[in-house]
Amino acid sequence: MMTNSAIGIACSNIALIKYWGNRDDALRLPVNPSISFNLQALFSRTEVVFDPMGQHDEVMIDEQQAAPSAAQRVSQHLDLIWRSAYFATASPRPVARVISTNNFPMGAGIASSASAFAALTMAACAALKLNKSEAELSALARQGSGSASRSVPGGFVAWQDAYAYSIAPPAHWDLVDVIGVVSTGHKKTGSTEGHALAPTSPLQMARVADTQRRFELCQKAVLARDFALLAEVMEQDALMMHGVMMTSQPSLMYLLPGSLAIMHAVRELRGQGVPVAFTIDAGPNIHCICEAAAAEQVITLLRGLNGVNDVLVSGVGGAAKAEA
Ligand code: PMV
């Protein structure tokens, strides 16, 4: 048997309506629908080489051997993809070498697991020459990391249950994510544990009960390119998620003083008529979403704030892809 290899490339994505909590933790089926756009400038590139002569899986992330827990998660994902095609044959999966690089800091609220599992899924399916639809690829990526389901389709993306789908192409709306990096340290509680804690907050039930309303408003805002509506629903949604996080048991407090400084500054700038609003993932960094024409002003604002160590900028990105 010849060595089978392929490269997968996938963007990270930023959720405008957040996914927080699963209705099935093992399958990573979400408790609520979410909406995101892909981040064209922030991506993972993952090469998968299936080598029948190999002894055990080898996983390199950003030029270092992956920690055992990360390597195990990658191996489990490859097992899942193998089973999706060869379940009936009972033949064992060939050993794999996985070499993955991110062009942005991992584990600091810039969803590296989204781009990583989308790129891994694309590469592994291409290396095994599996002919999967976009929905099937998205559903596989989801089982590695929920938000990875949204990094498979291009542009503006909705995810309600098993798989994610595009609601508008990248060129539909020239939005920019200006990320104020407050800390690049690896977060203490990752999102897998975080999702499992969501039901321990008394606020989660109310957040979930109201999500369909926010989802529909956000979809309307995106389709109509209505920034004022997007700003209102997006900030409320992110703050509701952080309300749940902070009131979980144990409490998850991701925000730092620098995060709050950005949030206040963004609201002040919006008050002056600039189309900018914030959202926040499971980390301290603040994603300032703005119309492209306002990006320079937002970048200058963030660079001048205490506690902001770096500023990353990205437009809307396309679908994940695979190369032989
Ligand atoms: O895909 P996960 O398990 O890393 O979850 C991501 C959760 C948030 O980034 C906080 C929200 C979202 O919808 O992306």
Side-chain angles (χ1 to χ4, degrees), residues 13-15 17-20 22 28 34-36 73 109 111 113-114 144-148 150 159 187 191-192 195 241-242 245 280-283:
N13 68 73
I14 181 66
I17 295 295
K18 305 298 190 184
Y19 143 61
W20 196 244
N22 292 314
R28 294 182 193 268
S34 54
I35 296 182
S36 60
R73 207 166 150 191
S113 65
S145 172
S147 58
R150 298 191 310 243
W159 170 37
K187 58 197 176 205
S191 41
T192 301
H195 291 297
M241 180 181 75
H242 277 266
M245 290 164 161
I280 324 151
D281 280 344

